[in-house]
Coordinates of all heavy atoms in Angstrom, one line a residue:
M375 N 44.3 -5.2 31.0 CA 44.4 -5.2 29.5 C 44.9 -3.9 29.0 O 44.7 -2.9 29.5 CB 43.1 -5.5 28.9 CG 43.2 -6.0 27.5 SD 41.6 -6.0 26.6 CE 40.7 -7.3 27.5
R376 N 45.6 -3.9 27.8 CA 46.1 -2.7 27.2 C 45.0 -1.8 26.8 O 43.9 -2.2 26.4 CB 46.9 -3.1 25.9 CG 48.4 -3.2 26.1 CD 49.0 -4.1 25.1 NE 48.6 -3.6 23.7 CZ 48.8 -4.3 22.6 NH1 49.4 -5.5 22.7 NH2 48.5 -3.9 21.4
K377 N 45.2 -0.5 26.9 CA 44.1 0.5 26.7 C 43.6 0.4 25.3 O 42.4 0.5 25.1 CB 44.6 1.9 27.0 CG 44.4 2.3 28.4 CD 43.0 2.9 28.6 CE 42.7 3.2 30.1 NZ 42.3 2.0 30.9
D378 N 44.5 0.3 24.3 CA 44.0 0.3 22.9 C 43.1 -0.9 22.7 O 42.1 -0.9 21.9 CB 45.1 0.4 21.9 CG 46.1 -0.8 22.1 OD1 46.3 -1.2 23.2 OD2 46.7 -1.2 21.1
L379 N 43.4 -2.0 23.3 CA 42.6 -3.2 23.1 C 41.3 -3.1 23.8 O 40.3 -3.6 23.4 CB 43.4 -4.4 23.7 CG 44.7 -4.8 23.0 CD1 45.3 -6.1 23.5 CD2 44.5 -4.9 21.5
E380 N 41.3 -2.5 25.0 CA 40.1 -2.3 25.7 C 39.0 -1.6 25.0 O 37.8 -2.0 24.9 CB 40.4 -1.6 27.0 CG 39.6 -2.0 28.2 CD 40.2 -1.4 29.5 OE1 41.2 -1.8 29.9 OE2 39.6 -0.4 30.0
G381 N 39.4 -0.5 24.3 CA 38.4 0.3 23.5 C 37.9 -0.6 22.4 O 36.7 -0.6 22.1
E382 N 38.8 -1.3 21.8 CA 38.4 -2.1 20.6 C 37.4 -3.3 21.1 O 36.5 -3.6 20.4 CB 39.6 -2.7 20.0 CG 39.3 -3.3 18.6 CD 40.4 -3.2 17.7 OE1 41.1 -2.1 17.7 OE2 40.6 -4.1 16.8
L383 N 37.7 -3.8 22.2 CA 36.8 -4.9 22.7 C 35.4 -4.4 23.0 O 34.4 -5.0 22.7 CB 37.5 -5.5 24.0 CG 36.8 -6.7 24.5 CD1 36.8 -7.8 23.5 CD2 37.5 -7.2 25.8
Q384 N 35.4 -3.2 23.6 CA 34.1 -2.5 23.9 C 33.3 -2.4 22.6 O 32.1 -2.7 22.6 CB 34.2 -1.2 24.6 CG 34.3 -1.3 26.1 CD 34.7 0.0 26.7 OE1 34.7 1.0 26.1 NE2 35.0 0.0 28.0
T385 N 33.9 -1.9 21.5 CA 33.3 -1.7 20.3 C 32.8 -3.0 19.7 O 31.6 -3.1 19.2 CB 34.2 -1.1 19.3 OG1 34.8 0.1 19.8 CG2 33.5 -0.7 18.0
L386 N 33.6 -4.0 19.9 CA 33.3 -5.4 19.4 C 32.0 -5.9 20.1 O 31.1 -6.4 19.5 CB 34.5 -6.3 19.7 CG 34.7 -7.4 18.8 CD1 34.9 -7.0 17.3 CD2 35.9 -8.2 19.2
E387 N 32.0 -5.7 21.4 CA 30.9 -6.2 22.2 C 29.6 -5.5 21.8 O 28.5 -6.1 21.6 CB 31.1 -5.9 23.7 CG 31.9 -7.0 24.4 CD 32.3 -6.6 25.8 OE1 32.0 -5.5 26.2 OE2 33.0 -7.4 26.5
L388 N 29.7 -4.2 21.5 CA 28.6 -3.4 21.1 C 28.0 -3.9 19.8 O 26.8 -4.1 19.6 CB 29.0 -2.0 21.0 CG 28.0 -0.9 21.4 CD1 27.7 -1.0 22.9 CD2 28.5 0.5 21.1
M389 N 29.0 -4.1 18.9 CA 28.6 -4.5 17.5 C 28.0 -5.9 17.5 O 27.0 -6.1 16.8 CB 29.8 -4.4 16.6 CG 30.2 -3.0 16.3 SD 31.6 -2.9 15.2 CE 30.8 -2.4 13.7
I390 N 28.6 -6.8 18.2 CA 28.1 -8.2 18.2 C 26.7 -8.2 18.9 O 25.8 -8.9 18.4 CB 29.0 -9.2 18.9 CG1 30.3 -9.3 18.0 CG2 28.4 -10.5 19.1 CD1 31.4 -10.2 18.6
G391 N 26.5 -7.4 19.9 CA 25.2 -7.2 20.6 C 24.1 -6.7 19.6 O 23.1 -7.3 19.6
L392 N 24.5 -5.7 18.9 CA 23.5 -5.1 17.9 C 23.1 -6.2 16.9 O 22.0 -6.4 16.5 CB 24.2 -4.0 17.1 CG 24.0 -2.6 17.7 CD1 24.8 -1.6 16.8 CD2 22.6 -2.2 17.6
Y393 N 24.2 -6.9 16.4 CA 23.9 -7.9 15.3 C 23.0 -9.0 15.8 O 22.1 -9.4 15.2 CB 25.3 -8.4 14.9 CG 25.3 -9.6 14.0 CD1 25.1 -9.4 12.6 CD2 25.5 -10.9 14.5 CE1 25.0 -10.5 11.7 CE2 25.5 -11.9 13.6 CZ 25.2 -11.7 12.2 OH 25.2 -12.8 11.4
C394 N 23.3 -9.5 17.0 CA 22.6 -10.6 17.6 C 21.1 -10.2 17.8 O 20.2 -10.9 17.5 CB 23.2 -11.1 18.9 SG 22.5 -12.6 19.5
R395 N 20.9 -9.0 18.4 CA 19.5 -8.6 18.6 C 18.8 -8.5 17.3 O 17.6 -8.9 17.2 CB 19.5 -7.2 19.3 CG 19.1 -7.3 20.8 CD 18.7 -6.0 21.4 NE 19.6 -4.9 21.0 CZ 20.7 -4.6 21.7 NH1 21.0 -5.3 22.8 NH2 21.5 -3.6 21.4
G396 N 19.4 -7.9 16.3 CA 18.8 -7.7 15.0 C 18.6 -9.0 14.2 O 17.5 -9.2 13.6
R397 N 19.5 -9.9 14.3 CA 19.5 -11.0 13.4 C 18.9 -12.3 14.2 O 18.3 -13.1 13.5 CB 20.9 -11.4 12.9 CG 21.3 -10.5 11.8 CD 20.6 -10.9 10.5 NE 20.6 -9.8 9.6 CZ 21.5 -9.7 8.6 NH1 22.5 -10.5 8.5 NH2 21.4 -8.7 7.8
H398 N 19.2 -12.3 15.4 CA 18.8 -13.6 16.2 C 17.7 -13.3 17.2 O 17.2 -14.2 17.8 CB 20.0 -14.2 16.8 CG 21.2 -14.5 15.9 ND1 22.5 -14.3 16.2 CD2 21.1 -14.8 14.6 CE1 23.2 -14.6 15.1 NE2 22.4 -14.9 14.1
G399 N 17.4 -12.0 17.4 CA 16.2 -11.6 18.1 C 16.1 -12.0 19.6 O 15.0 -11.9 20.1
G400 N 17.1 -12.4 20.2 CA 17.0 -12.7 21.6 C 17.4 -11.6 22.6 O 17.8 -10.5 22.1
R401 N 17.3 -11.8 23.8 CA 17.8 -10.9 24.8 C 19.2 -11.4 25.2 O 19.4 -12.6 25.4 CB 17.0 -11.0 26.1 CG 15.8 -10.1 26.1 CD 14.9 -10.5 27.3 NE 13.6 -9.9 27.1 CZ 13.3 -8.7 27.5 NH1 14.2 -7.9 28.2 NH2 12.1 -8.2 27.3
G402 N 20.2 -10.5 25.2 CA 21.5 -11.0 25.4 C 22.0 -11.7 24.2 O 21.3 -11.9 23.2
L403 N 23.2 -12.2 24.3 CA 23.8 -12.9 23.1 C 23.4 -14.4 23.1 O 23.3 -15.0 24.1 CB 25.3 -12.8 23.3 CG 26.1 -11.5 23.1 CD1 27.6 -11.7 23.1 CD2 25.6 -10.8 21.8
C404 N 23.1 -14.8 21.9 CA 22.8 -16.2 21.7 C 24.2 -17.0 21.8 O 25.2 -16.4 21.9 CB 22.1 -16.5 20.4 SG 23.2 -16.2 18.9
R405 N 24.1 -18.3 21.8 CA 25.3 -19.1 22.0 C 26.3 -18.8 20.9 O 27.5 -18.6 21.2 CB 24.9 -20.5 22.0 CG 26.0 -21.3 22.7 CD 25.6 -22.7 23.0 NE 26.8 -23.5 23.0 CZ 26.9 -24.8 22.8 NH1 25.7 -25.4 22.6 NH2 28.0 -25.4 22.8
A406 N 25.9 -18.8 19.7 CA 26.9 -18.6 18.6 C 27.6 -17.3 18.7 O 28.8 -17.2 18.5 CB 26.1 -18.7 17.2
C407 N 26.8 -16.2 19.0 CA 27.4 -14.9 19.1 C 28.3 -14.8 20.3 O 29.3 -14.1 20.3 CB 26.3 -13.8 19.1 SG 25.5 -13.7 17.5
G408 N 27.9 -15.4 21.4 CA 28.7 -15.5 22.6 C 30.1 -16.1 22.3 O 31.1 -15.6 22.7
E409 N 30.0 -17.2 21.5 CA 31.3 -17.9 21.2 C 32.1 -17.0 20.3 O 33.4 -17.0 20.4 CB 31.0 -19.2 20.5 CG 30.6 -20.3 21.4 CD 30.1 -21.5 20.7 OE1 30.3 -21.6 19.5 OE2 29.6 -22.4 21.4
L410 N 31.5 -16.3 19.4 CA 32.2 -15.4 18.5 C 32.9 -14.3 19.3 O 34.1 -14.0 19.0 CB 31.3 -14.8 17.4 CG 31.9 -13.9 16.4 CD1 33.0 -14.6 15.6 CD2 30.9 -13.2 15.5
L411 N 32.2 -13.8 20.2 CA 32.8 -12.7 21.1 C 34.0 -13.2 21.9 O 35.0 -12.6 22.0 CB 31.7 -12.1 22.0 CG 32.2 -11.0 22.9 CD1 32.7 -9.8 22.1 CD2 31.1 -10.6 23.8
A412 N 33.8 -14.4 22.4 CA 34.9 -15.0 23.3 C 36.1 -15.3 22.4 O 37.2 -15.0 22.8 CB 34.4 -16.3 23.9
Y413 N 35.9 -15.7 21.2 CA 37.0 -16.0 20.2 C 37.7 -14.7 19.9 O 38.9 -14.6 20.0 CB 36.4 -16.6 19.0 CG 37.5 -16.9 17.9 CD1 38.2 -18.1 17.9 CD2 37.7 -16.0 16.9 CE1 39.1 -18.3 16.9 CE2 38.6 -16.2 15.9 CZ 39.4 -17.4 15.9 OH 40.3 -17.6 15.0
S414 N 36.9 -13.6 19.6 CA 37.5 -12.4 19.2 C 38.3 -11.8 20.4 O 39.4 -11.2 20.2 CB 36.4 -11.4 18.8 OG 35.6 -11.9 17.8
R415 N 37.7 -11.9 21.6 CA 38.4 -11.4 22.8 C 39.8 -12.0 22.9 O 40.8 -11.4 23.2 CB 37.6 -11.6 24.0 CG 38.2 -11.1 25.3 CD 37.3 -11.4 26.5 NE 36.1 -10.7 26.5 CZ 34.9 -11.2 26.8 NH1 34.8 -12.4 27.1 NH2 33.9 -10.4 26.8
E416 N 39.8 -13.4 22.8 CA 41.0 -14.1 22.9 C 42.0 -13.7 21.9 O 43.2 -13.5 22.2 CB 40.7 -15.6 22.8 CG 41.8 -16.4 23.4 CD 41.6 -17.9 22.9 OE1 40.6 -18.4 23.1 OE2 42.6 -18.4 22.2
R417 N 41.6 -13.6 20.6 CA 42.5 -13.2 19.5 C 43.1 -11.8 19.9 O 44.3 -11.5 19.7 CB 41.8 -13.1 18.2 CG 41.2 -14.4 17.7 CD 42.3 -15.2 17.1 NE 43.0 -16.0 18.1 CZ 44.0 -16.8 17.9 NH1 44.5 -16.9 16.7 NH2 44.6 -17.4 18.9
L418 N 42.2 -10.9 20.3 CA 42.6 -9.5 20.6 C 43.7 -9.5 21.7 O 44.7 -8.8 21.6 CB 41.4 -8.8 21.0 CG 41.3 -7.3 20.8 CD1 41.5 -7.0 19.3 CD2 39.9 -6.7 21.3
Q419 N 43.4 -10.3 22.7 CA 44.4 -10.3 23.8 C 45.7 -10.9 23.5 O 46.7 -10.6 24.1 CB 43.8 -11.1 25.0 CG 42.9 -10.2 25.8 CD 42.1 -11.0 26.8 OE1 42.0 -12.2 26.7 NE2 41.5 -10.3 27.7
R420 N 45.7 -11.7 22.4 CA 47.0 -12.3 22.0 C 47.7 -11.5 20.9 O 48.7 -11.9 20.4 CB 46.8 -13.6 21.4 CG 46.4 -14.6 22.6 CD 46.4 -16.0 22.1 NE 45.9 -16.9 23.2 CZ 45.7 -18.1 23.0 NH1 45.8 -18.7 21.8 NH2 45.2 -18.8 24.0
C421 N 47.1 -10.3 20.5 CA 47.7 -9.6 19.4 C 49.1 -9.1 19.8 O 49.3 -8.5 20.8 CB 46.8 -8.3 19.2 SG 47.5 -7.3 17.8
P422 N 50.1 -9.5 18.9 CA 51.5 -9.2 19.2 C 51.9 -7.8 18.9 O 52.9 -7.3 19.3 CB 52.2 -10.2 18.4 CG 51.3 -10.4 17.2 CD 49.9 -10.2 17.7
R423 N 51.0 -7.1 18.2 CA 51.4 -5.7 17.8 C 51.0 -4.7 18.9 O 49.9 -4.8 19.4 CB 50.6 -5.3 16.5 CG 50.8 -6.3 15.4 CD 52.1 -6.0 14.7 NE 52.5 -7.2 13.9 CZ 53.0 -7.0 12.7 NH1 53.1 -5.8 12.2 NH2 53.4 -8.1 12.1
D424 N 51.9 -3.8 19.1 CA 51.6 -2.8 20.1 C 52.1 -1.4 19.6 O 53.3 -1.2 19.5 CB 52.3 -3.2 21.4 CG 51.9 -2.2 22.6 OD1 51.1 -1.3 22.3 OD2 52.4 -2.4 23.7
P425 N 51.3 -0.4 19.3 CA 49.8 -0.5 19.4 C 49.3 -1.4 18.2 O 49.9 -1.5 17.2 CB 49.4 1.0 19.2 CG 50.5 1.5 18.4 CD 51.8 0.8 18.8
K426 N 48.1 -1.9 18.5 CA 47.5 -2.7 17.5 C 47.0 -1.9 16.3 O 46.3 -0.9 16.5 CB 46.3 -3.4 18.1 CG 45.6 -4.4 17.2 CD 44.3 -4.8 17.9 CE 43.4 -5.5 16.8 NZ 43.2 -4.6 15.7
P427 N 47.3 -2.4 15.1 CA 46.8 -1.7 13.9 C 45.4 -2.1 13.7 O 44.9 -3.0 14.3 CB 47.7 -2.2 12.8 CG 48.1 -3.6 13.2 CD 48.2 -3.5 14.7
A428 N 44.7 -1.4 12.8 CA 43.3 -1.8 12.4 C 43.5 -3.2 11.8 O 44.4 -3.5 11.1 CB 42.7 -0.9 11.3
C429 N 42.5 -4.1 12.2 CA 42.6 -5.5 11.7 C 42.7 -5.6 10.2 O 43.4 -6.4 9.7 CB 41.4 -6.3 12.2 SG 41.6 -6.7 13.9
R430 N 42.0 -4.7 9.6 CA 42.0 -4.7 8.1 C 43.4 -4.5 7.5 O 43.7 -5.0 6.5 CB 41.1 -3.5 7.7 CG 40.6 -3.6 6.3 CD 39.9 -2.3 6.0 NE 38.8 -2.1 6.9 CZ 37.6 -1.8 6.4 NH1 37.3 -1.6 5.2 NH2 36.6 -1.7 7.3
A431 N 44.2 -3.7 8.2 CA 45.5 -3.3 7.7 C 46.6 -4.2 8.3 O 47.8 -4.0 8.0 CB 45.8 -1.9 8.1
C432 N 46.2 -5.2 9.1 CA 47.2 -6.0 9.8 C 47.7 -7.1 9.0 O 46.9 -7.8 8.3 CB 46.6 -6.5 11.1 SG 47.7 -7.3 12.2
P433 N 49.0 -7.3 8.9 CA 49.5 -8.4 8.1 C 49.4 -9.8 8.8 O 49.5 -10.8 8.2 CB 51.0 -8.1 8.0 CG 51.3 -7.3 9.2 CD 50.0 -6.5 9.5
V434 N 49.1 -9.8 10.1 CA 48.9 -11.1 10.8 C 47.5 -11.5 10.7 O 46.6 -10.8 11.3 CB 49.3 -10.9 12.3 CG1 49.1 -12.3 13.0 CG2 50.7 -10.4 12.5
H435 N 47.2 -12.6 10.0 CA 45.8 -13.0 9.9 C 45.5 -14.0 11.0 O 45.7 -15.2 10.8 CB 45.6 -13.6 8.5 CG 45.7 -12.6 7.4 ND1 44.9 -11.4 7.4 CD2 46.4 -12.5 6.3 CE1 45.2 -10.7 6.3 NE2 46.1 -11.4 5.6
C436 N 45.0 -13.4 12.1 CA 44.9 -14.3 13.2 C 43.5 -15.0 13.4 O 43.4 -15.9 14.1 CB 45.3 -13.5 14.5 SG 44.1 -12.2 14.9
Y437 N 42.6 -14.5 12.6 CA 41.3 -15.2 12.6 C 41.2 -16.4 11.6 O 41.8 -16.3 10.6 CB 40.2 -14.2 12.2 CG 39.6 -13.3 13.2 CD1 40.5 -12.6 14.0 CD2 38.3 -13.2 13.5 CE1 40.0 -11.7 15.0 CE2 37.8 -12.3 14.4 CZ 38.7 -11.6 15.2 OH 38.2 -10.8 16.2
S438 N 40.6 -17.4 12.0 CA 40.3 -18.5 11.1 C 39.4 -18.0 10.0 O 38.6 -17.1 10.3 CB 39.8 -19.7 11.8 OG 38.4 -19.5 12.2
P439 N 39.4 -18.6 8.8 CA 38.5 -18.1 7.7 C 37.1 -18.1 8.1 O 36.3 -17.2 7.8 CB 38.8 -19.2 6.6 CG 40.1 -19.8 6.9 CD 40.3 -19.7 8.4
E440 N 36.6 -19.1 8.9 CA 35.2 -19.2 9.3 C 34.9 -18.0 10.2 O 33.9 -17.4 10.0 CB 35.0 -20.5 10.0 CG 33.6 -20.9 10.3 CD 33.5 -22.1 11.2 OE1 34.5 -22.9 11.2 OE2 32.5 -22.2 11.9
R441 N 35.7 -17.8 11.2 CA 35.5 -16.7 12.2 C 35.5 -15.4 11.4 O 34.8 -14.4 11.7 CB 36.5 -16.7 13.3 CG 36.3 -17.9 14.2 CD 35.0 -17.8 15.0 NE 35.0 -18.8 16.0 CZ 33.8 -19.2 16.6 NH1 32.7 -18.7 16.2 NH2 33.8 -20.1 17.5
R442 N 36.5 -15.3 10.5 CA 36.6 -14.0 9.8 C 35.3 -13.7 9.0 O 34.9 -12.6 9.0 CB 37.8 -14.2 8.8 CG 38.1 -12.9 8.0 CD 39.0 -13.2 6.9 NE 40.3 -13.7 7.5 CZ 41.3 -12.9 7.7 NH1 41.3 -11.7 7.3 NH2 42.4 -13.4 8.2
A443 N 34.7 -14.7 8.4 CA 33.5 -14.5 7.7 C 32.4 -14.1 8.6 O 31.6 -13.2 8.3 CB 33.1 -15.8 7.0
Q444 N 32.3 -14.7 9.8 CA 31.3 -14.3 10.8 C 31.5 -12.8 11.3 O 30.5 -12.1 11.4 CB 31.4 -15.2 12.0 CG 30.9 -16.6 11.8 CD 31.1 -17.5 13.0 OE1 32.1 -17.4 13.7 NE2 30.1 -18.3 13.3
I445 N 32.7 -12.5 11.5 CA 32.9 -11.1 12.1 C 32.7 -10.1 11.0 O 32.2 -9.0 11.2 CB 34.4 -11.0 12.7 CG1 34.4 -9.9 13.8 CG2 35.4 -10.6 11.7 CD1 33.7 -10.4 15.1
R446 N 32.9 -10.5 9.7 CA 32.6 -9.6 8.6 C 31.1 -9.3 8.5 O 30.7 -8.2 8.3 CB 33.1 -10.2 7.3 CG 34.5 -10.0 7.0 CD 34.7 -9.6 5.6 NE 36.2 -9.4 5.3 CZ 36.9 -10.3 4.6 NH1 36.3 -11.4 4.2 NH2 38.2 -10.2 4.5
A447 N 30.4 -10.4 8.7 CA 28.9 -10.2 8.7 C 28.4 -9.3 9.8 O 27.6 -8.4 9.6 CB 28.2 -11.6 8.8
V448 N 29.0 -9.4 11.0 CA 28.7 -8.5 12.1 C 29.0 -7.1 11.8 O 28.2 -6.2 12.0 CB 29.5 -9.0 13.4 CG1 29.4 -7.9 14.5 CG2 29.0 -10.3 13.9
M449 N 30.2 -6.9 11.2 CA 30.6 -5.5 10.9 C 29.7 -4.9 9.8 O 29.3 -3.7 9.9 CB 32.0 -5.5 10.3 CG 33.1 -6.0 11.2 SD 33.5 -4.9 12.6 CE 34.2 -6.0 13.8
R450 N 29.3 -5.7 8.8 CA 28.4 -5.2 7.8 C 27.1 -4.8 8.3 O 26.5 -3.7 8.0 CB 28.2 -6.2 6.7 CG 29.0 -6.0 5.4 CD 28.4 -6.8 4.3 NE 28.1 -8.2 4.6 CZ 28.9 -9.2 4.5 NH1 30.1 -8.9 4.0 NH2 28.6 -10.4 4.8
Y451 N 26.6 -5.6 9.3 CA 25.3 -5.3 9.8 C 25.4 -4.1 10.8 O 24.6 -3.2 10.8 CB 24.8 -6.5 10.6 CG 23.4 -6.3 11.2 CD1 22.2 -6.5 10.5 CD2 23.3 -5.8 12.5 CE1 21.0 -6.3 11.1 CE2 22.1 -5.6 13.1 CZ 21.0 -5.8 12.4 OH 19.7 -5.6 12.9
A452 N 26.3 -4.2 11.7 CA 26.3 -3.2 12.8 C 27.0 -1.9 12.5 O 26.7 -0.9 13.1 CB 27.0 -3.9 14.0
G453 N 27.9 -1.9 11.5 CA 28.7 -0.7 11.2 C 27.8 0.5 11.0 O 27.8 1.5 11.7
P454 N 26.9 0.4 10.0 CA 26.0 1.6 9.7 C 25.1 1.9 10.8 O 24.7 3.1 11.1 CB 25.2 1.1 8.5 CG 25.8 -0.2 8.0 CD 26.7 -0.7 9.1
R455 N 24.7 0.9 11.6 CA 23.7 1.1 12.7 C 24.4 1.8 13.9 O 23.7 2.5 14.6 CB 23.1 -0.2 13.1 CG 22.0 -0.7 12.2 CD 21.7 -2.1 12.4 NE 20.7 -2.6 11.5 CZ 20.9 -2.9 10.2 NH1 22.2 -2.9 9.8 NH2 20.0 -3.3 9.4
M456 N 25.7 1.6 14.0 CA 26.4 2.3 15.1 C 26.4 3.8 14.9 O 26.3 4.6 15.8 CB 27.9 1.8 15.1 CG 28.0 0.4 15.5 SD 28.2 0.1 17.3 CE 29.8 0.9 17.5
L457 N 26.6 4.1 13.6 CA 26.6 5.6 13.2 C 25.2 6.2 13.5 O 25.2 7.3 13.9 CB 26.9 5.7 11.8 CG 28.3 5.4 11.4 CD1 28.5 5.5 9.9 CD2 29.3 6.2 12.1
L458 N 24.2 5.5 13.3 CA 22.8 6.0 13.6 C 22.6 6.1 15.1 O 21.8 7.0 15.5 CB 21.8 5.1 13.0 CG 21.6 5.1 11.5 CD1 20.6 4.1 11.0 CD2 21.2 6.5 11.0
R459 N 23.2 5.2 15.8 CA 22.9 5.1 17.2 C 23.6 6.2 18.0 O 23.1 6.7 19.0 CB 23.3 3.8 17.7 CG 22.6 3.3 18.9 CD 22.8 1.8 18.9 NE 21.6 1.1 18.5 CZ 20.9 0.4 19.3 NH1 21.3 0.1 20.5 NH2 19.8 -0.2 18.9
R460 N 24.8 6.5 17.6 CA 25.6 7.4 18.4 C 25.0 8.8 18.6 O 25.1 9.2 19.8 CB 27.1 7.5 17.9 CG 27.9 6.4 18.4 CD 29.4 6.8 18.4 NE 30.1 5.5 18.7 CZ 31.1 5.1 18.0 NH1 31.6 5.8 16.9 NH2 31.8 4.1 18.3
P461 N 24.5 9.4 17.6 CA 23.9 10.7 17.8 C 22.8 10.7 18.8 O 22.6 11.6 19.6 CB 23.4 11.1 16.4 CG 24.0 10.2 15.5 CD 24.5 9.0 16.2
L462 N 22.0 9.6 18.8 CA 21.0 9.4 19.8 C 21.5 9.3 21.2 O 20.9 10.0 22.1 CB 20.2 8.1 19.5 CG 19.0 8.2 18.5 CD1 18.4 6.9 18.3 CD2 18.0 9.2 19.1
L463 N 22.5 8.6 21.3 CA 23.1 8.5 22.7 C 23.6 9.9 23.2 O 23.4 10.3 24.3 CB 24.3 7.6 22.7 CG 24.0 6.1 22.7 CD1 25.3 5.3 22.6 CD2 23.2 5.7 23.9
A464 N 24.2 10.6 22.2 CA 24.6 12.0 22.5 C 23.5 12.9 22.9 O 23.6 13.6 23.9 CB 25.4 12.6 21.3
L465 N 22.4 12.8 22.2 CA 21.2 13.6 22.6 C 20.6 13.3 24.0 O 20.4 14.2 24.7 CB 20.1 13.2 21.5 CG 19.8 14.3 20.5 CD1 18.8 13.7 19.5 CD2 19.2 15.5 21.1
K466 N 20.5 12.0 24.3 CA 20.1 11.6 25.6 C 20.9 12.2 26.7 O 20.4 12.7 27.7 CB 20.2 10.1 25.7 CG 18.9 9.3 25.4 CD 19.1 7.9 25.8 CE 18.1 7.0 25.1 NZ 18.5 5.6 25.0
H467 N 22.2 12.2 26.4 CA 23.1 12.7 27.4 C 22.8 14.2 27.6 O 22.9 14.7 28.7 CB 24.5 12.5 26.9 CG 25.5 12.5 28.0 ND1 25.7 11.5 28.8 CD2 26.5 13.4 28.3 CE1 26.6 11.8 29.7 NE2 27.1 13.0 29.4
Y468 N 22.6 14.9 26.5 CA 22.4 16.3 26.5 C 21.2 16.7 27.3 O 21.2 17.7 28.0 CB 22.3 16.8 25.0 CG 22.1 18.3 24.9 CD1 23.2 19.1 25.0 CD2 20.9 18.8 24.7 CE1 23.1 20.5 24.8 CE2 20.8 20.2 24.5 CZ 21.9 21.0 24.6 OH 21.8 22.4 24.5
F469 N 20.1 16.0 27.2 CA 18.9 16.3 27.9 C 18.8 15.9 29.3 O 17.8 16.1 30.0 CB 17.7 15.7 27.1 CG 17.4 16.5 25.9 CD1 17.6 16.0 24.6 CD2 16.9 17.8 26.0 CE1 17.3 16.7 23.5 CE2 16.7 18.6 24.9 CZ 16.9 18.0 23.6
R470 N 19.8 15.1 29.8 CA 19.7 14.6 31.1 C 19.8 15.7 32.2 O 20.6 16.7 32.0 CB 20.9 13.7 31.4 CG 20.8 12.9 32.6 CD 21.7 11.7 32.6 NE 21.3 10.7 31.7 CZ 22.1 9.7 31.2 NH1 23.4 9.8 31.4 NH2 21.6 8.8 30.4
Ligands
ZN749 ZN1 23.2 -14.2 18.0

């Protein structure tokens, strides 16, 4: 897979994971979130732009309206939490 897509996919996985744990409370992804991730991965791999622009700025609307609403909810939930989480990860690394 293209390098720029790989990084984006990792972020996506992380965010959907955070969202699912927080909202749906299970271990690992629930079925709905698993499907959303699979859908996003597929869309990402088919992205015709190279390098891929930020989805927000992209003129190609490749998500269906329903999926778009779902991914928006994930971003809203996980976005601020990612910022809180990263410094912690950095700290752990430092003390190792
Ligand atoms: Zn879920």
Side-chain angles (χ1 to χ4, degrees):
M375 199 194 291
R376 268 156 52 190
K377 269 276 173 278
D378 59 326
L379 297 185
E380 216 168 285
E382 192 145 327
L383 188 59
Q384 269 171 14
T385 309
L386 208 60
E387 274 171 359
L388 216 66
M389 289 181 104
I390 293 178
L392 267 176
Y393 173 80
C394 189
R395 252 197 316 274
R397 282 288 158 91
H398 306 145
R401 275 168 195 273
L403 290 184
C404 70
R405 199 169 151 201
C407 292
E409 282 174 10
L410 180 61
L411 179 61
Y413 179 86
S414 305
R415 179 184 290 137
E416 198 197 303
R417 297 281 83 183
L418 207 56
Q419 277 167 345
R420 290 191 184 172
C421 181
R423 307 278 163 138
D424 189 1
K426 182 189 164 305
C429 284
R430 199 189 297 232
C432 186
V434 182
H435 292 305
C436 66
Y437 276 50
S438 73
E440 190 190 333
R441 291 297 189 197
R442 184 191 299 262
Q444 285 176 321
I445 209 76
R446 278 223 182 105
V448 168
M449 300 286 158
R450 254 201 313 273
Y451 179 90
R455 284 166 180 82
M456 295 268 291
L457 290 178
L458 287 176
R459 205 160 254 245
R460 273 205 190 131
L462 271 177
L463 282 176
L465 256 172
K466 263 190 204 156
H467 202 74
Y468 183 79
F469 284 113
R470 193 168 283 159

